[in-house]
Every structure is written in C-alpha cells, then in structure tokens.
Amino acid sequence: MADGRNTDLTQFLELVQLVEDFYKSGFKSTRQAGNNIAELPPAELKVDRTLVRPERTAKLEELYQEIKTCTKCDLHFNRLHTVPGEGVFNPLIMVIGEAPGQQEDKIGRPFVGKAGIYLDKWLKAINVDRYTNCYIGNVIKCRPPENRDPHPEEIAVCLPYLERQLELLKPKFLLTVGRISSQTLIGSTKGIGSLRGGTYFYKHLPLVPTFHPSAVLRNQSLRGAVWEDLKLIRALMK
Ligand code: URA
C-alpha cells in the first residue's frame, strides 16, 4: 500500500517536472540525466531563450557544422570526432583548454576524461558549472596524435573558430587552463608558471590563466596556486 502511494507520488512529481520543462523549453527536457559524467547526454546546447536571440543559436549551429567538416590541417585525418565545446550562452566564465584528448575525441565533448572531472570540481568550488553558467572549449578542436602539443600552424588555422565562439557566446570572463591556451590568448611565450597569478585581457575580456588540470593531477603541489587563481576569478566575478 505504502509502495503504491510512493509510485503514485513519483509519477505525479515526474508529471509536474515534465510540465515545468515544457513551459521552460518546449517539448525537449533540459534536465540532466544524472550527476555521473558518463551518464550525461551527448553535447548539446543549453539555450536560455530569454537571453538568446534565435540567430545566435543558428550561427553557433552553423559554426559547429563548419568545425565538424573542417579539413584545414592534418589533425582531421586521425580524429574520431571534432570537439567544438559545450555549455551555455552568455556564460559567466568560458574555460579554454588546449585540445581534446582521447576520451573527448571518442565522444565529441570537451573535458570528459580524468582532467575534465577534476576541472568540474574546480569550477564547482566557485559556483560555476557547464550546465548553468559556463562554457568549456579548447583552442584546438581535433585531438593531436598521442596528445602532442599542437603546432603553431594548427593553432593559427583553428583560432578563428574560437574567436567566432567568443563573439557568439559572449562570456564575461575567461579562464585559460594550461600553457598553450594561456600563451595563445595572452600573446606571450612565457611559461604558465610565470603567466599565472595575474589578470590579463583578451579583446577587452578579463582573462585569468592557471595550470592545466592534467598537470595538477600529475603534480599536487600546484593545487595551492590553482586555488589562488580560482579565488582571483571569483573576486572579479563579484
Ligand atoms: N585537455 C584539454 O585541454 N581539453 C580537453 O577537452 C580535454 C583535455
């Protein structure tokens, strides 16, 4: 009897959620499938229709299609998927990494491997996540073989995609993780150890560089510095 009542209640609550989803976003539910990253649905844009003009959505879709069929450098020969990025429009923070790794190449979503799970924890500590107020992307959209550093020519041909993403997504702050994205956007050849700890600007957008989560997973002594950088961006956000 008690079980029956619970089932009725669950069904009723699910119905209420469906109605709520319908009013918020049409027929397509925006609810997450679960907290486990492996259970999450494939890359999709979470669009807040109150903030986004339809033409921006269409242009971003167009850009994703262009990236999907891009053959501007040799990285396209070995890729399984392009990884354009994912998150929300008008993000508080746009996180910019280097390039997809093996896991990302397999499913076409950014930062879903060990480094990504760790990055999600960093972001959670400053009340940011890719489903509500953040967008996560990379300088390079295809996986370099054996995760080697991207070549300067590869960065040069891929960077315009990131620039177009920035124009369409309109983030308020940038967090670059790792040497490659930090050097590229800051326009410096200094190492990440020297670059981090300060605020820069990329086309008028405040930018905070920090270590790459993979580097911190390998070297836990970098954790303190990352926390300082996260506090720095959190202070800017306030
Ligand atoms: N490392 C990156 O820089 N980007 C990813 O998407 C995954 C790992």
Side-chain angles (χ1 to χ4, degrees), residues 83 97-101 104 109-111 115 138 212 214:
V83 182
E98 179 177 323
E104 291 77 19
R109 296 180 56 206
F111 280 99
N138 285 300
H212 194 283
S214 313

Side-chain angles (χ1 to χ4, degrees), residues 7-61:
T7 312
D8 286 350
L9 183 63
T10 309
Q11 282 177 349
F12 173 71
L13 290 175
E14 275 171 4
L15 191 63
V16 171
Q17 287 182 350
L18 282 176
V19 173
E20 200 185 317
D21 284 342
F22 171 75
Y23 276 105
K24 276 195 194 144
S25 45
F27 282 105
K28 201 156 188 259
S29 173
T30 55
R31 269 168 213 287
Q32 288 174 33
N35 290 328
N36 181 341
I37 202 90
E39 291 172 24
L40 293 169
E44 73 177 59
L45 268 181
K46 187 174 167 190
V47 179
D48 183 339
R49 294 187 194 285
T50 58
L51 294 175
V52 180
R53 291 205 216 102
E55 59 273 22
R56 256 166 86 197
T57 316
K59 279 191 179 154
L60 195 63
E61 280 303 333

